[in-house]
Amino acid sequence: MKALETILPKFDSVFSIDCVIFGFDEGELKVLLIERNVEPFKDWWALPGYLVEQEESLDNAAERILYELTGLKGIYMDQFYTFGDVNRHPQGRVITVGYYAMIRLSGNKDLKPAPITNYARRAVWTPLADLPKLAFDHDKIFKRAFDKIRNKISYQPIAFELLPEKFTLTQLQHLYEVILNKKLDKRNFRKKMLNYDILKELDEKQKGVSYRAAKLYKFDKRKYARLFQKELSFGK
Amino acid sequence: MKALETILPKFDSVFSIDCVIFGFDEGELKVLLIERNVEPFKDWWALPGYLVEQEESLDNAAERILYELTGLKGIYMDQFYTFGDVNRHPQGRVITVGYYAMIRLSGNKDLKPAPITNYARRAVWTPLADLPKLAFDHDKIFKRAFDKIRNKISYQPIAFELLPEKFTLTQLQHLYEVILNKKLDKRNFRKKMLNYDILKELDEKQKGVSYRAAKLYKFDKRKYARLFQKELSFGK
């Protein structure tokens, strides 16, 4: 058996994109992974990622690569960091631009992933609790994206994109808990959240629950957004 | 005269770094520019930027490139965005990683720039008010970095890195005005700032001012930092 280096082509300097797509699903945070069907790291789990083509912009490449490897389309992604360690890829110098997105999975049937190319064997929404060791430096890329969203939930109104329109306070608390990756005290959480005056209590209760169904809430989106416009921004 | 394309080598796919270094100098915001001494864009003003070498990480490349083009060392830079439009460079596909920093110039004699290589003719702290049209897509790169710091001043305690240890309220207001790029009402600004309880009034007054010398203040760094730890972060 030949050494890996002699089988695989060597790259001089190429760019790639890796996508970290977080999905919030009924109180659980998941990330979209592919099972690789090619060397290097054949059979490993990895973030959806591939090389950027000569004639495409980074944003277009991110969209194409996510589509080819997972079948998903129309997900708005943002850059979060560019990884350029010298030895991060066994085939040579590959600098990769990390893109991320956060989406709501529950009730969203269009988000069932299936690879278009056979470069990936399958694509799976994987709960963070079950995260395997990933190919290349993808553990590091994932961690950096997770830090990003944890940070973001403290200064941007992202929660309402991840919850259904009507939600219970328990669902809201779970969202914060999984993103901050820690247990929160129920009474404190509720008190704080209600004090912000960003929630509208509805006349409806949770459905499909026969015993002690919880009240449903909606965000007052305007107030929620305003909460994040810090006074220090001086009227921005 | 030959067309530019036949004189300059063509790149297949290469990486570069561009640095946007903001300097705050006595109420004025400046950016560090170089005057290019080589084609393309010879004689144009540009951000300090150059190609990443095969055997260096992005962070190391950023440090080296800033040093070679401006002589400045030991400035902590962060990535802010990676620019990968297909036609952004006349010599081929060059994807560039933007790094930025914000530093205080006043009273800092070590920050007098002078290029080490002759790739740059000179390096100059240029007031934003006098910003010339820049080479390549550097106008766009600059703008994105400026948006970044404007955004950052609203949610991170950056002001105390940019002001001298002791400062007047007028100096503080100027800092916010130049970064936010708008005039602020003096009375409102002072009232808000004093309400935050992040300033310590000193028993000293401004020196070198004979008439109506203003009071000097210091930040209470702990309180200033705490102001930005939003309640929504739930004890982060």
Side-chain angles (χ1 to χ4, degrees), chain A residues 14-20 47-52 57-59 61-62 65 77-84 88 94-100 137-138 141, chain B residues 15 58 79-84 93 95-98:
Chain A
V14 294
F15 325 114
S16 68
I17 301 272
D18 285 299
C19 305
V20 190
L47 298 169
Y50 205 69
L51 305 181
V52 176
S57 71
L58 293 176
D59 287 354
I65 288 165
M77 290 180 277
D78 255 329
Q79 279 186 21
F80 65 96
Y81 200 74
T82 297
F83 301 82
R88 57 169 301 280
V94 182
I95 290 182
T96 196
V97 183
Y99 274 75
Y100 81 110
D137 56 351
H138 287 191
I141 297 175
Chain B
F15 325 114
L58 293 176
Q79 278 186 22
F80 65 95
Y81 199 74
T82 297
F83 300 83
R93 189 73 196 272
I95 290 181
T96 197
V97 183

Side-chain angles (χ1 to χ4, degrees), chain B residues 91-231:
Chain B
Q91 282 169 275
R93 189 73 196 272
V94 182
I95 290 181
T96 197
V97 183
Y99 275 75
Y100 80 111
M102 271 182 298
I103 54 182
R104 176 165 57 84
L105 294 183
S106 9
N108 210 333
K109 300 260 185 290
D110 295 342
L111 295 172
K112 213 174 142 39
I116 307 294
T117 70
N118 63 2
Y119 177 83
R121 196 172 294 127
R122 49 191 176 133
V124 177
W125 287 108
T126 311
L128 294 203
D130 305 336
L131 205 65
K133 177 140 182 52
L134 301 177
F136 305 103
D137 57 350
H138 288 189
D139 290 325
K140 185 176 156 188
I141 296 175
F142 166 78
K143 194 185 167 306
R144 186 130 199 164
F146 194 28
D147 288 346
K148 176 85 184 184
I149 65 165
R150 196 175 306 150
N151 202 350
K152 205 165 169 161
I153 204 174
S154 304
Y155 65 81
Q156 285 193 9
I158 56 174
F160 70 75
E161 293 164 16
L162 298 177
L163 289 172
E165 202 196 347
K166 302 167 183 182
F167 50 85
T168 66
L169 288 179
T170 302
Q171 284 176 311
L172 182 61
Q173 182 172 343
H174 278 164
L175 175 71
Y176 274 86
E177 286 182 337
V178 294
I179 293 183
L180 296 173
N181 203 12
K182 67 174 169 200
K183 268 296 207 201
L184 301 171
D185 179 72
K186 184 170 162 175
R187 263 186 63 187
N188 267 339
F189 181 86
R190 287 173 182 231
K191 204 174 125 197
K192 268 194 176 183
M193 272 298 168
L194 296 173
N195 273 345
Y196 288 139
D197 191 29
I198 55 176
L199 298 175
K200 285 192 250 186
E201 193 180 321
L202 302 176
D203 271 341
E204 294 171 59
K205 289 203 166 181
Q206 218 177 354
K207 291 198 178 75
V209 182
S210 52
Y211 179 66
R212 295 188 66 173
K215 270 185 218 159
L216 288 170
Y217 291 82
K218 261 173 124 168
F219 278 114
D220 182 326
K221 290 188 185 177
R222 187 176 300 200
K223 283 185 182 163
Y224 183 36
R226 201 183 299 141
L227 184 64
F228 290 91
Q229 285 169 1
K230 310 229 10 131
E231 285 201 54

Side-chain angles (χ1 to χ4, degrees), chain B residues 18-65:
Chain B
D18 285 299
C19 305
V20 190
I21 313 296
F22 292 98
F24 185 66
D25 193 6
E26 304 285 353
E28 204 174 27
L29 195 61
K30 296 177 174 174
V31 64
L32 186 55
L33 298 181
I34 59 163
E35 194 182 34
R36 289 173 60 88
N37 200 22
V38 289
E39 294 291 357
F41 290 100
K42 189 164 189 277
D43 303 326
W44 282 61
W45 290 96
L47 298 169
Y50 203 71
L51 304 182
V52 176
E53 290 184 1
Q54 195 64 20
E55 291 296 331
E56 82 191 329
S57 71
L58 293 176
D59 288 354
N60 289 348
E63 206 175 310
R64 172 186 61 81
I65 289 165

Side-chain angles (χ1 to χ4, degrees), chain A residues 165-182:
Chain A
E165 201 195 347
K166 302 169 184 179
F167 51 86
T168 66
L169 288 178
T170 302
Q171 284 176 311
L172 182 61
Q173 181 173 343
H174 278 163
L175 175 71
Y176 275 87
E177 286 182 337
V178 294
I179 293 183
L180 297 174
N181 203 14
K182 67 174 169 198

